[in-house]
Amino acid sequence: MRAWKQYDWIKTKKLCALSALALLTSAFCLASASAVSAKVKIEKPKQTIYLSSKDGKDSARQPELFFYIGLSDGDRIEETSIRSDNEWASGKVSFIKPVNSDGVFLNIRPVHPGTANLAFQDQAGRAYTVTAEILPYENPLKTLKITNVKKGKNLAGKLNESRETKPESFAFSKKTDASKIKLVCADGWKLMGVKIYVREFDDTYNFREQAIDRINLNARSKTINLKETKKGDYVWFRDMRFVNEKNGASQIIFTFGKDPYTSK
């Protein structure tokens, strides 16, 4: 009698173990099926961006943040499902469908600091979320000095309020055999690239131009040598690109100085 009871107990134990294994296998298969069926691929689902100015004015051309969503054949994003949980930070979310592309973009032009989660669904009702972290404007430049321009004064402070400044002529006060430009980043920033132009006049106001293109610098400071410059020549900058070492976010100074193509 004891033997039969022992046999029943072992049999029951085995059945329980098999049932548990079956449940685990079923759960695993369901999870795998769910993972396989989620065909939407999001590049960089979390991104950080800096505002263009301290007061968030539209005149400073607020930065745009793009989330790229890759789609397989037959998949789509339901545009009406797109929501932001913090419109104060994200602003309006735009939905962009490029021609001849396998994916779509979610685009925001933020005007206030904060974190915004953008939720959306695909055609099967599967839910997805991307996150935008919007940080206050920060001047990425500590020092910008040019030989014999503004008496060698540090011009970086002109970017303290906004990445876009009023056009200003940075003219050389006298002839210089070897002018230099010194760029030093603020703490935590790196200079990735810059384009520098020097407009050089002759007596008839014809001009020639030095063009210096420095890309892939990845430097905290950089000194750039210019050729001979004369009194009245002036320098301007385009596309100074910076990256924050801590969060990977970028800041671009599109134009600094007076554009020579719009001035005499």
Side-chain angles (χ1 to χ4, degrees):
M1 187 67 179
R2 289 181 181 177
W4 279 107
K5 287 184 178 179
Q6 186 176 7
Y7 171 78
D8 288 342
W9 179 83
I10 294 173
K11 184 178 179 180
T12 302
K13 187 176 181 182
K14 285 183 178 180
L15 287 172
C16 289
L18 288 171
S19 297
L21 179 60
L23 286 172
L24 286 172
T25 302
S26 176
F28 176 80
C29 290
L30 286 171
S32 299
S34 177
V36 169
S37 63
K39 298 176 182 179
V40 170
K41 296 180 180 179
I42 304 171
E43 288 187 6
K44 298 181 180 179
K46 183 176 181 179
Q47 298 184 49
T48 302
I49 192 170
Y50 284 89
L51 294 178
S52 294
S53 63
K54 283 195 172 181
D55 58 9
K57 284 185 178 179
D58 290 339
S59 60
R61 286 200 297 177
Q62 289 304 326
E64 294 184 79
L65 189 59
F66 294 89
F67 292 92
Y68 178 73
I69 304 165
L71 301 174
S72 301
D73 290 342
D75 285 344
R76 68 179 185 277
I77 299 302
E78 296 296 340
E79 187 172 356
T80 57
S81 72
I82 299 171
R83 297 286 186 274
S84 170
D85 69 352
N86 187 356
E87 292 184 359
W88 173 259
S90 68
K92 182 181 177 181
V93 183
S94 300
F95 183 70
I96 302 172
K97 294 184 282 189
V99 178
N100 298 325
S101 173
D102 293 330
V104 296
F105 290 93
L106 294 186
N107 167 239
I108 63 172
R109 292 172 62 90
V111 293
H112 298 287
T115 298
N117 296 299
L118 314 178
F120 58 94
Q121 294 180 356
D122 63 14
Q123 80 288 347
R126 292 179 293 245
Y128 304 87
T129 304
V130 295
T131 301
E133 181 184 22
I134 299 102
L135 300 177
Y137 173 76
E138 191 173 309
N139 184 356
L141 198 57
K142 179 181 179 181
T143 303
L144 194 164
K145 294 182 179 181
I146 310 168
T147 306
N148 292 327
V149 171
K150 304 285 187 182
K151 298 181 179 181
K153 180 182 176 181
N154 183 9
L155 305 175
K158 295 180 180 295
L159 296 167
N160 283 342
E161 300 298 320
S162 172
R163 71 177 183 182
E164 293 193 9
T165 62
K166 293 181 179 179
E168 182 176 357
S169 177
F170 298 141
F172 292 92
S173 59
K174 60 183 179 179
K175 179 180 177 180
T176 311
D177 292 334
S179 298
K180 292 184 178 180
I181 297 174
K182 183 178 181 181
L183 298 164
V184 181
C185 296
D187 290 344
W189 289 90
K190 278 189 175 182
L191 175 65
M192 305 307 293
V194 60
K195 295 179 181 179
I196 301 169
Y197 299 88
V198 179
R199 194 175 195 188
E200 303 172 330
F201 290 99
D202 61 23
D203 294 336
T204 61
Y205 278 96
N206 293 318
F207 71 92
R208 60 189 177 87
E209 193 171 71
Q210 291 185 44
I212 300 174
D213 193 353
R214 294 286 183 267
I215 58 175
N216 300 322
L217 290 175
N218 196 26
R220 292 188 179 89
S221 64
K222 188 70 177 179
T223 299
I224 298 170
N225 298 317
L226 302 177
K227 298 176 183 177
E228 177 187 279
T229 51
K230 303 185 300 298
K231 181 179 179 179
D233 296 346
Y234 63 88
V235 62
W236 65 299
F237 302 80
R238 280 190 62 84
D239 298 335
M240 278 193 284
R241 297 177 178 270
F242 300 87
V243 168
N244 187 280
E245 295 177 286
K246 183 177 179 180
N247 55 42
S250 62
Q251 188 67 279
I252 302 174
I253 312 301
F254 288 107
T255 304
F256 187 68
K258 199 170 186 179
D259 186 334
Y261 295 104
T262 60
S263 60
K264 195 172 181 182

